[in-house]
Amino acid sequence: MAVDIYKYLREDKLPHIWCPGCGHGTILNSLVRAIDQTDIDPDKTVVVSGIGCSGRAPGYLKFDTLHTTHGRAIAFATGIKLANPELNVIVLTGDGDGSAIGGNHLIHGCRRNIDLTVILFNNQIYGMTGGQYSPMTPTGAVATTSPYGNIDQDFDLVDLTRSAGATFVARGATYNPRQMTKLYKEGLEHKGFSFIETLDQCPVNYGRKNNIGGPTEMLDWQKEHTVPASKWEKMPEEEKEGIFPLGVIHRKDDPESEYTARYQQIIDSFAKEDE
Amino acid sequence: MSKKEAVLLQGDLAVVEGGMAAGAEFFAGYPITPASEIAEGFARELPKVGGKFIQMEDELAGMACAIGGSLSGKKSITATSGPGFSLKQENLGLGIMIEAPVVVVDVQRVGPSTGLPTSPSQGDVMQAKWGTHGDHPIIALSPSSVKEAFDLTVKAFNFAEKYRQPVILLLDEIVGHMREKVILPDADEIEVWDRKRPPADADKENFNPYEWTDDLVPPMPDYGTGFRYHTTGLFHDKTGFPRGTTEDAKKLMDRMTAKIENNLDEIILYDEDIREDDNIVVLSYGSTARSAVSAVNEARENGLNAGWIKLKTIWPFAEEKVSKLAEKANKIIVPELNQGQLIREVERAAKGQAEVVGINRYDGTLIKPEHVLAEIEGVK
Ligand SMILES: Cc1ncc(C[n+]2csc(CCOP(=O)(O)OP(=O)(O)O)c2C)c(N)n1
Ligand code: SF4
């Protein structure tokens, strides 16, 4: 059955501002398809972002949407969710936004296991500001601020969020939108902190400058550098180097450990005293 | 009116009591001396009435989270001191830009940097006005006693809600940590204002979240009530969407400024005792006002023509009032626990009509009444 994705989009705001070949639109598309497959109420859904090309995504979505400051979306979202746990709160963040300036909020969001769905657009570069390196830029890659090759090490955000306490952790890639939709859907339905890293392409500021090529070649690169999580687990360590597992990587279903549920127990304990 | 007993209350806890009386429902913050008691108080009180408290990972997050709570429709507050106040500035700017009601408490300690963590200061007066980048309106209130801390917290919430505006409550370490006997008003004696929300039958499809209403304060829907509107820290038009044109930028800035400037009579609060013949006026605010008032009283006993004015609202500055004072007075004395911050505003308003003299301490020591008295007596 055809999905009417436009009912979730602000059509009058289209076309979007992203460059031709940018992967951000693919993520947006998968997200609305995923929302359509859940039974969440669009009137009770809030989408929050920080700053970056990815930060512009909420502007195209027909929900309550909030475009905040660079890196802080999870902190704003935490307030929105805790103040009204009925709301479905989605955070859209870039790799710079979510893992550099906002890295601390990401860790603490995971630790609280507050019921947010965080989708991180990992294009391995600062797109909006013209191609400076991010914490997700691979060692050796060229960026405008690493003209001689990046000497930093990149994060493994899946490992990081898992050990910080996120209860749903997954990785998708824009070359496989079907899987992305599935992962987003599961993340949206999961009660607790859901983190879905999505490998994404910025042909303008990353692909061309690192001799990977344009969007098509970048998607090919994704295909060559990813394997299903189930396969990855069985791979010998030396083969894992530079290869990313895709799919659900970690999941723990324990709705009672979710942050707003825990806080509600405190409130309820006072209500009982009054009875 | 019921006969109530006086309670012994600390200034920081008076902020908690005042907040609860004003209907606070949400606190997000990060601990710091001398403001931690405020967080601790809200952590204790809020869940009892179904409200929420959260300790965030830093003050950036505290400010952001409090604004988030406000967007979900709850009356929100955060509290900090100097180093944390610096961290809050960027998100405070977002709060101003998106017109989110929120109360930001800064219990001032001596800076810069870690400074003197447990000593009083009024060093953040200009930061309260200019701390976040760009031109912007702000309201800042400064209590001088425990009772005023209670009353002005209620006011801070009311102003925040009425004007869709972050309101700063500037305490200093003395007022924050001092204990005084106070009689707190009953709930029915306290005026509590709520933000204006769009009517239930509003046209949600064509709703403009930043509409130009007569009072220049657009009604604010709670998230999750079907308006599905957009909010951004970028300059935006009435639809809430970014519009980078100079014309729209100016329009928004002018409206945000005017919503405060049109209501100065309501917002600017002060107490004064200035007699017809008083030609010396001591202008003070916060804990310094205590020494100012007692010095004036003593000067009067000595037959001097001195009066006092105590500003409870620092920003917007009581420009017109001070200008009028300067027409009559020969001298305005401005004691401050800083190197001279609000005095610049006093000089500006006085326009050379009266001599303006500062008394300044910035070493963590109080200004004593005798310091002020000496300055008053210096005048023939
Ligand atoms: C406090 C602050 N610092 C820096 C910036 C400048 N800035 C805007 S977007 C951005 C990087 C965005 O990169 P990323 O999060 O990876 O998103 P992308 O643009 O690639 O989608 C930076 C550094 C800012 N807006 N605010
Ligand atoms: S600069 Fe990169 S991330 Fe930004 S819109 Fe263009 S392709 Fe996308």
Side-chain angles (χ1 to χ4, degrees):
Chain A
M1 206 177 69
V3 183
D4 176 18
I5 61 167
Y6 287 101
K7 70 179 175 194
Y8 304 108
L9 294 176
R10 290 172 171 141
E11 279 186 76
D12 58 326
K13 301 297 164 209
L14 298 170
H16 57 63
I17 60 158
W18 298 315
C19 310
C22 176
H24 290 1
T26 314
I27 297 181
L28 195 69
N29 192 322
S30 284
L31 174 63
V32 292
R33 284 168 196 276
I35 290 173
D36 191 67
Q37 289 176 20
T38 65
D39 54 11
I40 65 178
D41 178 356
D43 279 352
K44 300 263 176 232
T45 301
V46 185
V47 188
V48 188
S49 69
I51 302 292
C53 298
S54 43
R56 292 303 189 94
Y60 306 117
L61 291 165
K62 212 195 275 176
F63 304 101
D64 284 324
T65 51
L66 176 65
H67 180 218
T68 67
T69 48
H70 191 27
R72 317 297 169 197
I74 290 175
F76 283 93
T78 297
I80 292 164
K81 178 72 188 179
L82 178 60
N84 183 0
E86 255 190 35
L87 301 175
N88 312 296
V89 185
I90 301 167
V91 174
L92 304 181
T93 181
D95 50 304
D97 193 65
S99 77
I101 191 165
N104 201 33
H105 308 308
L106 175 64
I107 294 169
H108 289 276
C110 293
R111 179 181 59 81
R112 287 186 192 101
N113 190 29
I114 185 162
D115 187 18
L116 306 177
T117 303
V118 178
I119 297 175
L120 186 133
F121 297 47
N122 179 15
N123 59 11
Q124 305 177 304
I125 200 80
Y126 286 181
M128 175 157 270
T129 42
Q132 300 81 12
Y133 65 83
S134 93
M136 300 306 289
T137 304
T139 308
V142 173
T144 57
T145 45
S146 62
Y148 312 115
N150 184 23
I151 60 168
D152 283 27
Q153 289 187 62
D154 52 333
F155 268 132
D156 183 335
L157 287 177
V158 159
D159 261 8
L160 180 84
T161 50
R162 177 188 182 148
S163 44
T167 47
F168 180 92
V169 178
R171 186 187 283 115
T174 47
Y175 94 84
N176 190 350
R178 256 170 214 268
Q179 184 189 38
M180 281 159 65
T181 303
K182 190 173 152 286
L183 297 174
Y184 296 167
K185 174 177 185 275
E186 284 181 47
L188 289 166
E189 287 173 340
H190 175 76
K191 188 154 172 66
F193 195 94
S194 307
F195 178 78
I196 306 118
E197 177 189 337
T198 307
L199 297 177
D200 180 12
Q201 76 278 9
C202 173
V204 175
N205 287 310
Y206 189 78
R208 296 208 174 92
K209 294 192 176 151
N210 282 283
N211 299 322
I212 299 172
T216 322
E217 293 77 16
M218 292 187 83
L219 295 183
D220 284 342
W221 182 95
Q222 286 183 4
K223 225 174 189 169
E224 287 154 17
H225 291 80
T226 53
V227 294
S230 51
K231 183 172 173 199
W232 195 81
E233 267 169 32
K234 294 181 200 123
M235 275 163 55
E237 281 310 308
E238 61 279 10
E239 283 177 28
K240 288 182 176 172
E241 184 67 30
I243 302 293
F244 302 93
L246 294 187
V248 178
I249 314 266
H250 168 68
R251 156 160 222 162
K252 191 174 146 207
D253 289 302
D254 179 14
E256 279 177 26
S257 74
E258 192 274 325
Y259 192 82
T260 63
R262 284 200 173 158
Y263 202 93
Q264 193 56 43
Q265 286 178 4
I266 301 178
I267 293 177
D268 291 346
S269 72
F270 285 107
K272 280 211 192 77
E273 273 176 27
D274 290 347
E275 276 165 16
Chain B
M1 229 174 71
S2 61
K3 253 210 149 32
K4 275 162 297 179
E5 286 196 13
V7 289
L8 188 65
L9 192 63
Q10 189 207 41
D12 278 352
L13 294 180
V15 172
V16 178
E17 294 282 341
M20 297 307 292
E25 299 164 289
F26 195 85
F27 180 101
Y30 191 82
I32 185 169
T33 302
S36 296
E37 291 89 338
I38 299 175
E40 290 161 359
F42 279 113
R44 255 188 327 267
E45 298 306 319
L46 279 169
K48 295 183 188 169
V49 297
K52 310 279 172 70
F53 168 92
I54 185 168
Q55 180 172 313
M56 294 300 285
E57 49 274 19
D58 58 31
E59 288 86 350
L60 292 150
M63 187 72 241
C65 191
I67 292 173
S70 181
L71 290 164
S72 279
K74 307 293 185 219
K75 288 192 179 181
S76 298
I77 178 167
T78 184
T80 189
S81 183
F85 195 47
S86 292
L87 289 181
K88 287 188 191 292
Q89 295 299 331
E90 191 199 5
N91 288 333
L92 175 65
L94 184 88
I96 293 166
M97 190 62 145
I98 70 172
E99 300 178 75
V102 62
V103 176
V104 182
V105 188
D106 172 19
V107 187
Q108 298 165 94
R109 59 192 234 184
V110 183
S113 192
T114 312
L116 296 170
T118 56
S119 299
S121 163
Q122 294 175 314
D124 304 348
V125 168
M126 283 296 167
Q127 189 184 19
K129 174 71 183 114
W130 298 116
T132 196
H133 57 283
D135 284 324
H136 54 269
I138 200 74
I139 298 174
L141 312 178
S142 187
S144 65
S145 68
V146 172
K147 178 64 171 39
E148 263 180 34
F150 178 93
D151 293 339
L152 292 184
T153 305
V154 175
K155 281 279 181 203
F157 271 101
N158 285 349
F159 289 160
E161 293 287 319
K162 177 166 179 182
Y163 297 111
R164 283 191 68 170
Q165 168 71 34
V167 175
I168 293 165
L169 192 63
L170 273 184
L171 274 70
D172 52 56
E173 191 275 339
I174 300 174
V175 174
H177 276 169
M178 143 171 95
R179 280 164 210 279
E180 286 184 312
K181 280 211 152 167
V182 290
I183 296 178
L184 297 179
D186 281 339
D188 57 7
E189 298 169 74
I190 299 170
E191 207 180 321
V192 171
W193 303 344
D194 292 327
R195 71 188 67 169
K196 199 168 49 165
R197 293 175 165 88
D201 61 352
D203 175 2
K204 293 182 177 173
E205 236 353 89
N206 299 303
F207 175 72
N208 285 321
Y210 295 95
E211 190 64 82
W212 275 66
T213 50
D214 289 342
D215 62 356
L216 304 182
V217 184
M220 181 174 172
D222 298 350
Y223 275 174
T225 54
F227 287 87
R228 295 164 78 170
Y229 72 100
H230 187 61
T231 302
T232 173
L234 289 163
F235 271 100
H236 44 271
D237 63 14
K238 67 180 181 181
T239 65
F241 285 91
R243 277 276 290 264
T245 71
T246 50
E247 190 195 330
D248 282 302
K250 181 170 181 328
K251 246 178 114 170
L252 177 58
M253 274 301 291
D254 287 348
R255 179 176 61 73
M256 290 196 303
T257 310
K259 75 177 177 183
I260 304 301
E261 292 291 321
N262 291 354
N263 294 286
L264 295 183
D265 285 349
E266 181 172 86
I267 296 169
I268 294 181
L269 308 168
Y270 57 83
D271 290 339
E272 65 179 330
D273 181 357
I274 300 170
R275 302 166 304 184
E276 194 50 39
D277 295 335
D278 288 339
N279 52 19
I280 303 168
V281 173
V282 183
L283 180 149
S284 63
Y285 57 93
S287 67
T288 314
R290 306 167 74 89
S291 298
V293 171
S294 81
V296 167
N297 290 340
E298 208 171 326
R300 284 178 175 183
E301 278 169 28
N302 302 344
L304 290 167
N305 289 334
W308 58 263
I309 177 165
K310 172 176 78 179
L311 300 184
K312 295 198 239 180
T313 302
I314 302 184
W315 304 113
F317 183 69
E319 186 148 347
E320 225 182 282
K321 175 70 192 171
V322 173
S323 186
K324 284 213 183 88
L325 286 180
E327 275 173 28
K328 276 185 62 198
N330 298 333
K331 181 170 176 173
I332 302 177
I333 300 170
V334 187
E336 291 184 273
L337 295 178
N338 55 44
Q339 291 185 326
Q341 295 195 14
L342 206 65
I343 193 172
R344 291 159 181 262
E345 293 297 308
V346 179
E347 283 167 345
R348 207 158 65 85
K351 299 187 188 80
Q353 300 174 98
E355 184 191 358
V356 180
V357 188
I359 302 174
N360 304 92
R361 289 213 76 145
Y362 36 87
D363 56 358
T365 324
L366 324 184
I367 293 174
K368 297 211 174 99
E370 51 261 41
H371 299 144
V372 184
L373 188 62
E375 192 59 54
I376 298 173
E377 286 176 337
V379 182
K380 298 281 154 347

